[in-house]
Amino acid sequence: MSPMLVFAKTTLITNIKGYTITDNNLDSFAAIAFTDDKIDKIYSATDKLPTSKNLTIIDGEGKTLIPGLIDSHGHILNYGLSLLRADLVNSTSEQDAINKTLAYAKNNTELTWIQGRGWNQTQWPSNAFPSAESLDKQFPKQPVWLKRIDGHAGWANSKAMAMAGITKDTVSPEGGEIIKDKNGMPTGVFIDNAMALIDNSIAPLTIKEQKQVLVKAMDSLASYGLTSVHDAGIDTDNLNAFKELSQENAMSIRVNAMLYLPSTKWQQTLAGGKYRSKDDMFTFNSVKIQADGALGSRGAALIEDYSDHAGHKGLLLNTPKEFENLVNTSMRQGFQVNSHAIGDNANKLVLDTYEKYIKATKTQDLRHRVEHAQVLRIEDIPRFAELDIIAAMQATHATSDKNMAQDRLGPTRILGAYAWRKLLDANAIIAAGSDFPVESPNPFFGLHASITRQDHKNSPQGGWFADQKMTPLEAFRSFTLDAAYSGHQENIIGSLAKGKKADFVLLDNNLFTIPEQNIWQISVEKTWVNGRLVYKK
């Protein structure tokens, strides 16, 4: 018996206001045809459309269609877990965060540990770190562990500290801090590397559990119009979970993974080489190294003292020698190096180290990246283009941090912070993202912040340091072609053209004609990835 012939089905989406970038110009089109996972043709308003029995036609109802948006820096497993944990984002006080945690615990009585994420003490009236004592009143016997919104600090109750063996005599690890009161007792707040003291007391997820969380996260991300995400720092188990999901055809969006260094078995994993699935849904060709902490928790490494904390310069999470070793090892094995750097000291360390080892390893074409590139010395800004280093930045960090950043940095250093215009004018490439779950994964929040430098209440008037705004085209490019370029994937995704992957989204409003202050309110009607409809409103 002869095998059945399977005819590829072509789909034509008509009656759309389509936009894509061609040669740095914004091009418009009226229809798009694709077969399986590839685009066949883009049609202008005057082109004759094809007709065929084997053609599925979708009426776009005059809505806007754009390339799938790419988040160059998110944390998929943590985002999935955040969907399953106490949500403390927008908590108005320490007590409000406790009340939210209590409500979550009452709805999840089967849990041994109560975990949550999203608190931000700079948005509370106290502007002070929380305490174990306040948690203990509601949770005297059950361990509680609540991560700060940026993931660089954690808040534990006494039961959690007891289970982790934390006492008055416990010493803060290198690159971390156990905050203690005037009597030397731990207050319950752990900064950066000290968080591992609590994390290590919690049973890790199995590969099966990880896969369930990842699928939930990816499905949610597709609903925001994200068709590809660069997962900024995973371990070998997480990598294996993604590999299994890609082999099972169970991924709704593309993932470009960075292996976190140092993490368990990282040397063996790098020695195993890069990985790319046949359908390009999963790629592993880069690493993530953390130079410092975050600005909000004063863990970002600054050259001079914090303007609002004399005698404190933040934390380097690896010694310069350790950092050099990780960079050198990764570059020599052919991996793109992506380093988290918030403070000006951390950014200078990363740029200095990159300059040294890019030359030694001849890996300039690997497009090494600085993740966040948040506070830069003005003289370091031209180095990005000179060394072909990409600035992977998150616009919503600026609108979230605007209430505290100048307090931390003072009037001079702030001029090199969140400095998108200065970087673009110096010919740097900016790859956009959100750093979810630190911020919302919604890319329209990021596009809005890039273009307006305002929050959702149109504050401040005219924009925060408005001279650093991006143009709408620059912002769009940072979430499409330049984000694709930063993952070595600009030839397959990031714009819509014949032969590229069929990744695109249909919107309820026109990104390019809507008033700028309303961009954050755009929502996604449908999302296609690899030619498959993966989300429908």
Side-chain angles (χ1 to χ4, degrees):
M1 190 173 171
S2 60
M4 283 180 63
L5 291 174
V6 178
F7 292 97
K9 193 82 172 173
T10 298
T11 300
L12 177 70
I13 305 177
T14 64
N15 188 19
I16 52 175
K17 293 185 180 75
Y19 296 95
T20 188
I21 295 175
T22 310
D23 299 327
N24 211 29
N25 294 314
L26 187 66
D27 279 358
S28 58
F29 58 93
I32 183 170
F34 60 98
T35 303
D36 296 331
D37 63 336
K38 296 269 177 62
I39 296 169
D40 299 319
K41 190 173 179 180
I42 304 290
Y43 295 88
S44 73
T46 56
D47 287 338
K48 187 177 178 183
L49 298 179
T51 56
S52 164
K53 285 182 184 176
N54 201 40
L55 190 65
T56 300
I57 298 176
I58 297 172
D59 183 355
E61 300 174 349
K63 291 178 177 171
T64 299
L65 187 140
I66 62 172
L69 297 168
I70 301 167
D71 191 313
S72 75
H73 187 112
H75 303 274
I76 299 175
L77 185 67
N78 280 343
Y79 175 66
L81 291 171
S82 77
L83 299 176
L84 303 169
R85 289 183 175 167
D87 180 7
L88 307 181
V89 175
N90 299 323
S91 51
T92 56
S93 65
E94 182 171 351
Q95 189 56 49
D96 184 40
I98 293 168
N99 293 343
K100 283 181 164 71
T101 306
L102 194 59
Y104 169 81
K106 286 177 178 173
N107 290 326
N108 295 275
T109 53
E110 77 286 359
L111 297 174
T112 303
W113 280 77
I114 297 298
Q115 296 185 71
R117 180 163 179 157
W119 59 270
N120 183 355
Q121 85 286 357
T122 68
Q123 294 179 351
W124 296 345
S126 66
N127 198 23
F129 278 131
S131 70
E133 188 180 1
S134 61
L135 272 178
D136 292 345
K137 291 171 186 173
Q138 298 293 347
F139 299 96
K141 296 179 180 176
Q142 188 173 22
V144 179
W145 181 226
L146 309 172
K147 298 276 180 79
R148 192 180 186 277
I149 191 163
D150 57 11
H152 287 272
W155 171 21
N157 68 345
S158 295
K159 179 66 175 176
M161 290 192 285
M163 289 178 70
I166 306 293
T167 68
K168 184 177 182 178
D169 299 322
T170 306
V171 177
S172 295
E174 190 76 31
E177 182 183 3
I178 303 168
I179 295 193
K180 297 183 179 181
D181 63 20
K182 61 179 187 278
N183 299 316
M185 296 299 294
T187 64
V189 175
F190 297 75
I191 308 289
D192 286 315
N193 288 357
M195 294 163 66
L197 298 171
I198 304 291
D199 284 333
N200 293 342
S201 301
I202 305 171
L205 296 174
T206 64
I207 294 284
K208 183 180 178 182
E209 288 170 333
Q210 282 197 34
K211 285 165 67 177
Q212 290 169 340
V213 174
L214 292 172
V215 166
K216 183 179 180 69
M218 288 187 286
D219 289 349
S220 172
L221 295 167
S223 75
Y224 290 109
L226 291 170
T227 57
S228 177
V229 166
H230 301 177
D231 200 336
I234 68 174
D235 63 17
T236 299
D237 284 347
N238 201 180
L239 188 69
N240 290 333
F242 273 124
K243 284 182 181 177
E244 288 187 18
L245 286 171
S246 72
Q247 288 156 8
E248 293 161 9
N249 199 28
M251 294 176 62
S252 54
I253 65 169
R254 299 183 196 280
V255 174
N256 194 321
M258 313 175 197
L259 182 71
Y260 188 84
L261 306 190
S263 56
T264 307
K265 301 186 226 169
W266 69 270
Q267 293 101 326
Q268 298 97 305
T269 302
L270 288 191
K274 301 173 188 176
Y275 179 88
R276 175 181 164 190
S277 65
K278 287 180 182 176
D279 57 4
D280 286 297
M281 290 298 288
F282 182 64
T283 305
F284 163 54
N285 59 18
S286 62
V287 301
K288 159 84 177 295
I289 310 171
Q290 201 141 312
D292 66 345
L295 197 64
S297 53
R298 296 191 187 88
L302 301 179
I303 294 168
E304 302 296 337
D305 289 358
Y306 274 77
S307 296
D308 60 356
H309 195 323
H312 184 71
K313 291 183 170 68
L315 301 162
L316 286 173
L317 301 189
N318 296 285
T319 66
K321 188 174 181 183
E322 288 166 344
F323 181 74
E324 281 199 21
N325 178 52
L326 294 171
V327 169
N328 183 29
T329 302
S330 304
M331 287 185 180
R332 290 193 185 282
Q333 299 211 37
F335 283 84
Q336 179 189 41
V337 179
N338 307 328
S339 300
H340 163 118
I342 301 282
D344 55 4
N345 189 33
N347 275 286
K348 182 180 182 298
L349 169 70
V350 171
L351 290 168
D352 289 348
T353 307
Y354 280 8
E355 184 167 7
K356 178 179 177 180
Y357 287 103
I358 285 171
K359 188 176 179 182
T361 60
K362 297 182 173 61
T363 59
Q364 194 150 334
D365 60 345
L366 288 182
R367 306 173 188 173
H368 304 294
R369 298 171 23 171
V370 180
E371 306 301 306
H372 312 304
Q374 204 161 293
V375 184
L376 300 169
R377 300 186 310 159
I378 299 298
E379 59 266 39
D380 281 334
I381 288 174
R383 301 175 72 189
F384 283 81
E386 288 164 7
L387 297 167
D388 288 332
I389 292 168
I390 291 163
M393 303 180 80
Q394 301 76 39
T396 47
H397 281 344
T399 49
S400 294
D401 293 357
K402 61 183 169 56
N403 296 329
M404 62 83 180
Q406 195 160 353
D407 292 341
R408 298 279 192 275
L409 300 171
T412 303
R413 282 184 296 199
I414 195 72
L415 300 178
Y418 317 89
W420 316 325
R421 177 87 270 134
K422 289 185 176 79
L423 280 157
L424 291 170
D425 287 349
N427 297 317
I429 290 172
I430 294 178
S434 65
D435 201 11
F436 65 76
V438 175
E439 305 278 1
S440 166
N442 189 331
F444 298 97
F445 289 8
L447 286 161
H448 170 262
S450 301
I451 295 163
T452 68
R453 295 200 48 122
Q454 292 178 317
D455 61 25
H456 297 170
K457 296 175 183 174
N458 303 321
S459 177
Q461 189 172 4
W464 186 64
F465 290 94
D467 62 333
Q468 296 305 302
K469 289 177 183 177
M470 290 189 191
T471 67
L473 179 59
E474 287 167 342
F476 182 55
R477 187 179 176 107
S478 73
F479 271 100
T480 53
L481 261 182
D482 285 346
Y485 179 87
S486 77
H488 295 269
Q489 293 178 307
E490 74 278 9
N491 291 327
I492 60 168
I493 58 175
S495 64
L496 302 176
K498 181 180 178 179
K500 293 190 93 167
K501 293 285 191 176
D503 291 10
F504 37 80
V505 293
L506 197 67
L507 310 178
D508 73 342
N509 219 317
N510 191 322
L511 173 63
F512 298 101
T513 60
I514 191 174
E516 290 178 352
Q517 68 268 24
N518 297 337
I519 288 172
W520 67 273
Q521 294 173 315
I522 292 174
S523 68
V524 173
E525 301 273 330
K526 293 178 180 177
T527 303
W528 285 265
V529 178
N530 233 24
R532 289 188 301 140
L533 183 66
V534 296
Y535 169 75
K536 184 178 180 181
K537 196 171 183 178

